Amino acid sequence: MKTHLARIIAISKKELLHIIRDPRTLIIIVLMPVIQLIMFGYAMNLEIQRVDMAVIDHDRSRTAVDLQEAFRQNGFFNLFPYEGKLADAEALFLERRARVILMIPADFGKHLQREPLVPVQLLIDAADPNAAVNIQNYCNQVIRIFNERYGSALALPFEIESTIWFNPDMKSAYFFVPGILALLLVMISALLTSITIAREKEMGTMEQILVSPVRPYEIILGKVIPYAVLAFLDGALILFLGMVFFQVPFIGSALLLAALVLLFVITALSLGLLISTVTSTQQIAMMVALFATLLPTLLLSGFIFPIPSMPRILQLLSYVVPAKYFLVIVRGIMLKGNTLTQLLVPAGFLALLTAVLLAGAWKKFRVNLE
Amino acid sequence: MNAIEITNFHKSFGPVTAVDNASLTVKPGELFGLIGPDGAGKTTLMRAICTLLLPDSGQILVNGMDTTRDVGKIRASIGYMPQRFSLYQDLSVAQNLRFFADLFQVPPEERTRRLEQLYQFSRLEPFRNRLAGDLSGGMKQKLALSCALIHTPDLLVLDEPTYGVDPVSRKEFWDILRTIQQEGTTILVSTAYMDEADQCERVALFFRGRIAGLDTPDGLRRDYPHPLYRLEGSDLRALRRFFQDIPTVHSIQLFGDALHVSFAQPPQPGDWRGWQDAVGSSLSHWEAHPPTIEDIFLDLIRSAS
């Protein structure tokens, strides 16, 4: 046992030397989370803010001004009056001076006191469909509040009052910080692991170290441990930055998250190992690993696109994407304070996936040059 | 018990036969050479000895252990130096040595002694902090050899260790091998340089996966059936053309600035005078010459095909 451990440590120490000797890898490992957080946090912002709204007010009554004030108070809209005709309003969209046009008809105020339904026209630029849906939702919200205040003559039998839990402000940091965590852990664990083993094969050093008392599992563990530690530290860095700069809450148990992060890292490492056993050069390993980790984690995990709205075939495919389960776990623990019993299903799937990947890697790992 | 015992070893890769029914034994303490051109099957045989390849048929015993069954024990007991430089280029000399000492679990007190010894013969001590990738070809090979020797194996398997190394370093390398051999280590070494065969105690001449000759270098020379002469002259090409037409000539080989001409029947003194008269100044000097390993090898190839 002692000799096995000593050999594992020997390989880990050597791997650490490789990492230190290659500053590029180190820079990628440290800078990638920071750059990704900045990119997602500031550039790829899905929140809508300061939406320019042109107002064509044909009424100019007290009520019409109140309606505009309601939009202004919401904080999402940047209102400005437009004096031209509605027919010319298209120019506002074409020149990107407004993303939404609010048209208040003449006698709006007067009609509102007598009639059950008074139309107000909204024109929304849907060149960006996601933004358009969001703008529409915000507008509806404002109008609902306005209606309540003015006591619309129409009495509805019931009303749906939705309350958004866990992320009431719909902050995108809440979704991208766990997403980046998943992406990064997968990239470091799977990508770097597969490259490091492929490098030994490519450089011929695998042939050299195979002719020694070292066992395959010692090579694997020895290589995996430094990267697992790095991935872990990187994960902590992402969470720290997310909490400090983007105020992402952390309600659940840090210990539980750490344990499940470890499980996820092992899953990704197993994937990396499997890739490395079927590739012979660093380049191929990198391509395969990128293809197997980056795209599925970005597109099929529910990180950006909701899985239920995918075509059936992609939904089925998402079952083998480890990040899918990990995202449920991270979001659950951080935002909802989930306990282990509530996360047994995704954790179980992750464990199952790990077992399958590891068994595959084990079976494919060559202890000779056959 | 023999250090290596190979019986009817056969190995092919798809349609290509790499080693065809090879049998040989290496005695303990011997310096044994596998001689042959690239692609002759030397590397395949050495990898099989190191348990890295499995025989299609036949058997290899290393210190009495079967390479298909006692994989772990064999791997722990031998020192192997692959054909390509297979150390970590981004690690220093000392770090490479330490890694292999760790891998083979060399105990600390023995490690210090062994390192001192290895540094002494390799003269790498002054370069201990230099990255392996920055060493010269000869120094790289000495480092690789040191790493293969760190655990004091009783069998050393070296696959073309002098390939691409300058002549001075090659000579130094062979001197080191003899020192190691004197310490009792069995050494199996392969080379494509025929002249290095004379550095070995016994050699196997490899050609197209078969052992074409197996003996001591002197034994091979003794068995060479033809009288051989070394010819010097001003126009070796003209000389070659001339001797090709002599019926008693068996073969002609160009060796640097001379021709090696072997005969089916020993030429008489009168023959030489006649030939010199015929070719004139193209032939300035001739003498009976012991065959080199290359002469023997080429002859074996010719008679084999």
Side-chain angles (χ1 to χ4, degrees):
Chain A
M1 193 58 228
K2 201 166 145 263
T3 58
H4 297 296
L5 193 64
R7 286 197 291 260
I8 293 170
I9 292 170
I11 290 179
S12 290
K13 262 167 59 186
K14 174 191 76 78
E15 211 57 38
L16 215 55
L17 286 173
H18 288 315
I19 297 171
I20 294 165
R21 278 282 147 70
D22 181 16
R24 280 175 307 176
T25 312
L26 206 58
I27 287 171
I28 288 171
I29 291 170
V30 178
L31 279 189
M32 202 156 72
V34 178
I35 291 172
Q36 281 191 335
L37 273 179
I38 291 169
M39 272 171 50
F40 279 93
Y42 295 106
M44 205 200 92
N45 200 337
L46 294 188
E47 292 165 39
I48 312 287
Q49 280 167 354
R50 290 183 297 280
V51 171
D52 289 319
M53 174 186 260
V55 182
I56 303 172
D57 188 354
H58 290 309
D59 186 32
R60 293 177 192 279
S61 67
R62 174 82 215 145
T63 325
V65 173
D66 280 351
L67 179 61
Q68 290 171 48
E69 190 53 36
F71 273 103
R72 210 168 267 129
Q73 272 170 3
N74 182 280
F76 282 96
F77 297 100
N78 179 26
L79 277 71
F80 65 92
Y82 179 69
E83 301 296 344
K85 285 202 279 296
L86 186 60
D88 304 329
E90 196 189 351
L92 289 172
F93 287 154
L94 291 177
E95 291 160 17
R96 284 180 299 279
R97 282 180 16 232
R99 296 172 81 173
V100 56
I101 300 169
L102 175 68
M103 210 282 284
I104 304 172
D107 299 330
F108 167 72
K110 239 184 272 170
H111 286 152
L112 197 65
Q113 279 150 28
R114 284 182 271 124
E115 287 170 34
L117 276 170
V118 181
V120 171
Q121 191 173 19
L122 269 178
L123 298 167
I124 302 173
D125 175 2
D128 176 355
N130 280 333
V133 170
N134 275 320
I135 292 169
Q136 190 184 7
N137 286 341
Y138 279 122
C139 289
N140 286 340
Q141 210 180 326
V142 171
I143 289 164
R144 196 168 49 79
I145 293 166
F146 177 83
N147 277 340
E148 271 170 28
R149 202 182 312 149
Y150 272 80
S152 166
L154 184 71
L156 293 166
F158 68 87
E159 195 180 358
I160 292 175
E161 195 169 305
S162 52
T163 310
I164 297 165
W165 279 17
F166 306 123
N167 187 0
D169 300 331
M170 304 286 271
K171 283 195 178 145
S172 56
Y174 290 21
F175 101 93
F176 73 70
V177 169
I180 292 176
L181 185 64
L183 191 63
L184 226 93
L185 290 179
V186 157
M187 297 267 286
I188 290 178
S189 309
L191 188 69
L192 295 184
T193 310
S194 63
I195 289 177
T196 170
I197 293 183
R199 178 170 61 188
E200 299 260 4
K201 288 203 226 171
E202 194 179 345
M203 303 302 286
T205 47
M206 190 58 99
E207 180 175 353
Q208 178 80 73
I209 59 173
L210 278 178
V211 184
S212 79
V214 77
R215 307 277 174 84
Y217 84 87
E218 293 165 2
I219 298 179
I220 290 173
L221 276 182
K223 287 196 146 284
V224 149
I225 288 168
Y227 290 104
V229 171
L230 268 179
F232 225 84
L233 291 178
D234 240 8
L237 177 66
I238 295 168
L239 287 182
F240 174 76
L241 292 176
M243 287 163 74
V244 170
F245 288 100
F246 300 104
Q247 285 83 44
V248 178
F250 196 131
I251 299 171
S253 153
L255 203 66
L256 179 62
L257 184 65
L260 291 176
V261 163
L262 188 65
L263 175 62
F264 181 62
V265 165
I266 294 171
T267 315
L269 290 170
S270 315
L271 178 63
L273 277 177
L274 186 61
I275 292 168
S276 72
T277 55
V278 293
T279 55
S280 51
T281 67
Q282 296 181 69
Q283 278 230 305
I284 296 171
M286 192 160 81
M287 299 295 282
V288 175
L290 272 178
F291 187 76
T293 58
L294 188 62
L295 289 180
T297 305
L298 267 178
L299 303 179
L300 292 179
S301 67
F303 172 16
I304 296 178
F305 306 110
I307 294 170
S309 55
M310 288 175 192
R312 190 91 194 110
I313 178 93
L314 291 185
Q315 284 192 31
L316 287 176
L317 213 57
S318 78
Y319 278 95
V320 296
V321 178
K324 168 191 164 123
Y325 309 107
F326 184 65
L327 280 178
V328 173
I329 290 170
V330 180
R331 288 173 178 162
I333 294 175
M334 290 184 69
L335 306 182
K336 302 185 200 170
N338 273 170
T339 58
L340 180 59
T341 39
Q342 291 163 325
L343 293 172
L344 274 182
V345 174
F349 266 102
L350 215 47
L352 183 71
L353 214 53
T354 310
V356 171
L357 288 168
L358 215 52
W362 200 256
K363 210 165 168 288
K364 288 264 174 195
F365 190 87
R366 295 256 63 97
V367 295
N368 52 33
L369 302 174
E370 284 290 337
Chain B
M1 189 174 55
N2 286 312
I4 303 173
E5 199 166 317
I6 302 170
T7 331
N8 301 325
F9 174 80
H10 190 97
K11 180 78 189 174
S12 44
F13 300 100
V16 183
T17 301
V19 179
D20 186 9
N21 211 29
S23 298
L24 63 86
T25 53
V26 177
K27 295 185 210 102
E30 201 171 19
L31 174 51
F32 192 100
L34 295 180
I35 319 291
D38 292 344
K42 307 186 298 287
T43 298
T44 301
L45 188 62
M46 289 192 141
R47 283 177 169 170
I49 291 166
C50 296
T51 74
L52 290 171
L53 290 175
L54 302 170
D56 291 343
S57 63
Q59 189 187 42
I60 301 178
L61 299 178
V62 175
N63 292 324
M65 297 178 283
D66 190 311
T67 53
T68 56
R69 284 202 303 271
D70 305 309
V71 175
K73 274 191 221 155
I74 293 176
R75 286 183 180 183
S77 70
I78 62 180
Y80 173 51
M81 192 175 148
Q83 188 170 19
R84 277 170 55 203
F85 180 68
S86 299
L87 299 179
Y88 299 97
Q89 317 241 9
D90 56 339
L91 260 55
S92 71
V93 169
Q95 283 166 341
N96 268 298
L97 282 164
R98 193 182 312 134
F99 172 64
F100 283 96
D102 286 344
L103 216 53
F104 282 94
Q105 299 285 291
V106 181
E109 60 281 8
E110 190 188 328
R111 179 180 305 204
T112 322
R113 196 181 52 77
R114 189 67 177 160
L115 273 177
E116 205 172 298
Q117 216 178 5
L118 292 172
Y119 274 140
Q120 198 184 353
F121 81 65
S122 67
R123 287 187 268 149
L124 282 171
E125 175 104 63
F127 307 101
R128 57 199 312 279
N129 291 322
R130 188 177 286 191
L131 296 189
D134 295 339
L135 295 174
S136 72
M139 287 204 283
K140 271 184 184 158
Q141 295 307 80
K142 284 193 288 185
L143 175 59
L145 180 66
S146 303
C147 288
L149 283 169
I150 190 86
H151 60 296
T152 327
D154 41 34
L155 171 65
L156 191 57
V157 178
L158 311 170
D159 195 357
E160 299 205 8
T162 54
Y163 177 79
V165 174
D166 68 90
V168 177
S169 302
R170 272 168 61 186
K171 189 185 170 300
E172 188 193 1
F173 197 88
W174 281 103
D175 289 342
I176 293 171
L177 287 191
R178 261 187 300 276
T179 316
I180 296 163
Q181 189 206 1
Q182 274 155 24
E183 289 170 3
T185 311
T186 312
I187 302 174
L188 177 70
V189 58
S190 75
T191 178
Y193 300 119
M194 301 284 161
D195 57 310
E196 291 186 331
D198 284 308
Q199 307 278 358
C200 307
E201 288 176 328
R202 281 200 308 143
V203 294
L205 301 181
F206 250 74
F207 183 65
R208 292 199 183 150
R210 288 167 186 268
I211 296 174
L214 177 72
D215 206 339
T216 61
D218 284 337
L220 287 170
R221 259 189 276 274
R222 220 171 20 244
D223 291 345
Y224 186 73
H226 309 288
L228 188 112
Y229 285 80
R230 180 184 150 90
L231 277 57
E232 287 169 26
S234 58
D235 189 351
L236 292 176
R237 279 169 62 194
L239 214 53
R240 186 185 186 127
R241 270 198 305 276
F242 175 78
F243 277 95
Q244 260 162 1
D245 296 333
I246 306 293
T248 56
V249 166
H250 173 71
S251 69
I252 308 167
Q253 279 311 320
L254 184 66
F255 270 80
D257 53 357
L259 285 185
H260 283 195
V261 180
S262 68
F263 293 87
Q265 284 139 34
Q268 305 304 312
D271 294 339
W272 283 112
R273 273 191 298 277
W275 292 333
Q276 173 143 54
D277 289 344
V279 294
S281 67
S282 319
L283 179 61
S284 58
H285 180 78
W286 67 90
E287 61 179 356
H289 195 268
T292 64
I293 296 297
E294 193 165 348
D295 290 311
I296 297 161
F297 190 83
L298 292 170
D299 194 57
L300 286 170
I301 290 172
R302 201 174 293 118
S303 52
S305 60

